[in-house]
């Protein structure tokens, strides 16, 4: 609430507007926003500097605070992620009509907003640990249907990939069809393999899609489909 001093010569409306300018006012989502937008370059410079300070300014390795560097950076990222998701949550809250579908949709989005950062953090750590255990070489992923039986076509593609990258490390899903053909080819040619199998117990029907995400998170040089 703004305190309005009627002893001023200006109108009540002018007083309210002046207070809004002095103390700040945030328009609703569907209202016109007269505030200036921060210059994009200045904003990016500020964010980059903030990341640099967190990355370099929390103390040298070997000290307790340095061990928290990664979680601090992820926390900073999650702050921006929450800002992006806030309008979506607000819209869903307004649209609630008591139906199970709307309630479930809001529940899923809220859960994603609350837990996505932690999931991203754990996934990034897992991917980094996986890469640390892998031998040196060029990662090339292969994906395809489980009913593919044309081994010649698959082998031909893999031979071309190996001719281009002699230090190839093959990444595949370890399933039947293309995965099995690729595994046999790798064994015959002495090629290292990284197998990303779907975790059906943890992800249910989404397991193949999560597996594909994990495969691509390894940042292969190329993908044979």
């Amino acid at each position: 609430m703004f305190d309005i001093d009627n002893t001023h010569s200006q109108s009540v409306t002018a007083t309210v507007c002046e207070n809004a300018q002095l103390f700040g006012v945030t328009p609703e989502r569907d209202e016109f926003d007269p505030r200036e937008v921060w210059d994009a370059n200045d904003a990016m410079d500020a964010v980059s500097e903030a990341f640099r300070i967190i990355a370099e300014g929390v103390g040298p390795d070997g000290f307790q605070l340095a061990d928290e560097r990664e979680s601090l950076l992820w926390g900073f990222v999650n702050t921006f992620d929450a800002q992006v998701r806030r309008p979506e949550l607000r819209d869903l809250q307004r649209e609630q009509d008591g139906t199970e579908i709307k309630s479930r949709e809001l529940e899923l989005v809220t859960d994603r907003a609350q837990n996505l950062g932690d999931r991203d953090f754990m996934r990034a750590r897992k991917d980094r640990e996986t890469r640390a255990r892998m031998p040196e070489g060029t990662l090339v992923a292969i994906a395809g249907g489980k009913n593919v039986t044309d081994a010649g076509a698959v082998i031909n593609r893999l031979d071309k990939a190996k001719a281009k990258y002699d230090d190839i490390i093959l990444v595949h899903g370890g399933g039947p069809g293309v995965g099995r053909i690729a595994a046999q080819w790798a064994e015959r040619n002495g090629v290292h393999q990284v197998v990303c199998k779907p975790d059906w117990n943890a992800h249910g029907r989404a397991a193949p899609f999560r597996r594909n995400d994990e495969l691509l998170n390894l940042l292969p040089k190329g993908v044979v489909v």
Side-chain angles (χ1 to χ4, degrees), residues 1-38:
M1 294 292 293
F2 296 125
D3 292 330
I4 299 175
D5 185 356
N6 290 321
T7 62
H8 288 181
S9 60
Q10 63 185 7
S11 68
V12 173
T13 302
T15 303
V16 171
C17 291
E18 181 180 339
N19 276 275
Q21 289 179 336
L22 289 173
F23 304 111
V25 60
T26 303
E28 292 295 329
R29 177 171 171 79
D30 297 326
E31 292 179 344
F32 174 73
D33 190 344
R35 296 174 299 172
E36 293 185 4
V37 178
W38 195 8

Side-chain angles (χ1 to χ4, degrees), residues 87-161:
E88 182 182 3
L89 284 169
R90 188 160 52 198
D91 288 345
L92 284 172
Q93 289 171 346
R94 288 177 176 175
E95 294 171 1
Q96 290 301 300
D97 55 8
T99 63
E100 183 177 352
I101 294 177
K102 289 292 184 181
S103 298
R104 179 58 176 165
E105 187 177 0
L106 176 60
E107 179 183 343
L108 290 174
V109 172
T110 303
D111 176 73
R112 187 167 69 244
Q114 292 175 344
N115 300 316
L116 188 60
D118 293 336
R119 292 170 188 167
D120 285 344
F121 175 78
M122 296 303 296
R123 185 183 66 188
R125 173 172 290 178
K126 178 182 177 182
D127 292 341
R128 187 173 59 255
E129 292 173 349
T130 300
R131 286 194 293 269
R133 292 194 299 267
M134 289 191 300
E136 293 292 329
T138 302
L139 289 177
V140 175
I142 184 168
K146 62 182 181 180
N147 297 320
V148 173
T149 58
D150 187 357
V154 178
I155 292 171
N156 181 55
R157 291 288 185 89
L158 292 173
D159 285 342
K160 289 181 178 179

Side-chain angles (χ1 to χ4, degrees), residues 37-49:
V37 178
W38 195 8
D39 179 78
N41 292 329
D42 290 344
M44 290 301 298
D45 289 343
V47 171
S48 298
E49 180 65 10

